[in-house]
Amino acid sequence: MGFTGLARWINAPSTGLELIRENIMRNHHGQLRGRWFLSVKSYRSTLGSIPGLQVHSERSMCTLTMNENVFVLLEDPAAPTRADIVTSVQNSQTTDGQVFPVPPHYRTTFLTLRPPGALEQVLHQLRARWIPVRQTAPGAQRSQGGQQLSVEGFVFAIGNDWLVRVGHVVLAGGAVKGMLLEAEYLPLPVLHSQTADGTSELLSNLLTSVLPNIREAKTVAVTISDSQWEEVLWDREEEERQLSQEKAELEGDPDNIYVFGDEGLTSEKKGDWIGVDRDRRSAFLIIGALKSEGIL
């Protein structure tokens, strides 16, 4: 798996998928590799309905099913971000030395679950206070089951280095809300960007080239900065393990030569976009794009 970039074609026509398919296969000598299908759902908490419990803002949850994995994004507007806590801890250590309490959770939590459907089953069995937020076409009946929206399209290969996924965003009632275009550069699992928003000129140029030449087309790149991605990938257990290991090394005997000598060795970096980690980044970008436009 490689590194991915995402773009939205907001006002794509109903023939947008066919236009892109023709462009890729004729001008880029691309090959059709299969179907692209994603299922996305959104929920909101109902803690405010509990008598005597004051809730300033309800929590939200979005799930994206991709193949056999379900990616879950939970957001609590009332909770601080991890960056806020790190800054507060650093400030307290430099001033009065007080220990800043760590909250039970941060504003954003991103999980990977399997199999599909297991989360809904758990919520139902526990009678958890989450209800679906439905997006349906006018006049469509709201139901308790089924997907809220889907991304339906195709996967293309351009040469040996590129995979391109394009698909319509289809609401539960059948209405189409533009398109999503995703480019994956296979040779590199990590592609560092020089820009603050994390955009890659290589991926942007490829996505631009596969778009048909249509006047007044509204497209926007979906980006994520390094700080945002670190917030998403943060693992409490992994951080505690690293702190414990560093503490043990500091408390060790500095004269013991067998303790040192492996500082220059490299290992696989946690969070590199390989396999499921690549899919996590893709899912986070897609959920973020749909939420920013109010589709979810």
Side-chain angles (χ1 to χ4, degrees):
M1 292 294 184
F3 183 86
T4 62
L6 189 70
R8 274 277 288 150
W9 187 3
I10 299 175
N11 61 342
S14 58
T15 58
L17 191 59
E18 288 73 20
L19 293 173
I20 292 179
R21 176 176 180 174
E22 181 181 0
N23 184 25
I24 291 178
M25 301 187 71
R26 174 178 296 181
N27 299 324
H28 296 274
H29 305 288
Q31 296 181 348
L32 180 64
R33 287 295 179 86
R35 302 284 301 183
W36 189 36
F37 182 83
L38 306 174
S39 175
V40 187
K41 301 179 181 179
S42 61
Y43 304 81
R44 64 177 178 86
S45 63
T46 57
L47 297 176
S49 62
I50 302 177
L53 181 62
Q54 295 183 351
V55 178
H56 299 288
S57 57
E58 293 287 1
R59 303 172 184 180
S60 65
M61 177 171 62
C62 296
T63 66
L64 185 147
T65 302
M66 182 186 302
N67 300 322
E68 295 301 317
N69 296 311
V70 180
F71 302 95
V72 184
L73 176 64
L74 291 136
E75 292 185 337
D76 182 2
T81 65
R82 180 173 174 269
D84 293 337
I85 296 299
V86 170
T87 301
S88 299
V89 170
Q90 293 175 347
N91 293 337
S92 64
Q93 291 176 348
T94 57
T95 55
D96 53 10
Q98 295 181 353
V99 178
F100 197 87
V102 178
H105 66 273
Y106 294 122
R107 183 172 304 174
T108 301
T109 304
F110 196 50
L111 308 172
T112 304
L113 307 175
R114 66 166 55 186
L119 177 62
E120 288 83 352
Q121 184 177 3
V122 171
L123 294 177
H124 177 73
Q125 291 176 347
L126 298 179
R127 297 182 179 180
R129 293 186 175 272
W130 290 94
I131 60 174
V133 180
R134 296 292 172 186
Q135 291 286 345
T136 59
Q141 183 178 2
R142 291 175 177 260
S143 61
Q144 295 300 318
Q147 63 198 24
Q148 292 186 33
L149 65 85
S150 60
V151 179
E152 304 174 12
F154 299 105
V155 180
F156 300 92
I158 299 178
N160 297 322
D161 292 345
W162 292 98
L163 286 180
V164 179
R165 303 173 183 89
V166 294
H168 287 292
V169 178
V170 184
L171 302 185
V176 177
K177 299 288 288 187
M179 295 184 66
L180 281 172
L181 300 91
E182 183 180 61
E184 179 177 356
Y185 187 58
L186 298 174
L188 297 178
V190 179
L191 191 60
H192 297 288
S193 174
Q194 299 297 325
T195 59
D197 60 3
T199 57
S200 166
E201 185 176 358
L202 179 65
L203 292 171
S204 299
N205 290 339
L206 190 281
L207 288 171
T208 301
S209 68
V210 301
L211 284 168
N213 186 15
I214 296 180
R215 182 178 299 179
E216 298 181 355
K218 296 181 180 180
T219 60
V220 60
V222 182
T223 62
I224 177 174
S225 64
D226 291 341
S227 60
Q228 288 177 302
W229 190 234
E230 289 176 1
E231 189 85 22
V232 172
L233 290 183
W234 176 78
D235 188 323
R236 183 188 295 271
E237 294 181 355
E238 179 67 18
E239 183 177 80
E240 292 177 350
R241 186 193 66 80
Q242 291 179 356
L243 292 175
S244 177
Q245 182 178 355
E246 293 175 359
K247 182 179 180 181
E249 292 177 353
L250 291 175
E251 295 176 351
D253 183 3
D255 296 328
N256 185 353
I257 62 174
Y258 297 103
V259 177
F260 303 94
D262 60 351
E263 294 85 359
L265 298 179
T266 59
S267 60
E268 182 179 350
K269 178 183 175 183
K270 182 176 179 61
D272 282 354
W273 296 297
I274 302 175
V276 175
D277 286 327
R278 186 218 68 84
D279 291 341
R280 293 184 71 197
R281 183 178 189 275
S282 174
F284 184 77
L285 285 170
I286 292 173
I287 292 175
L290 299 177
K291 284 177 65 68
S292 65
E293 294 183 33
I295 299 177
L296 284 178

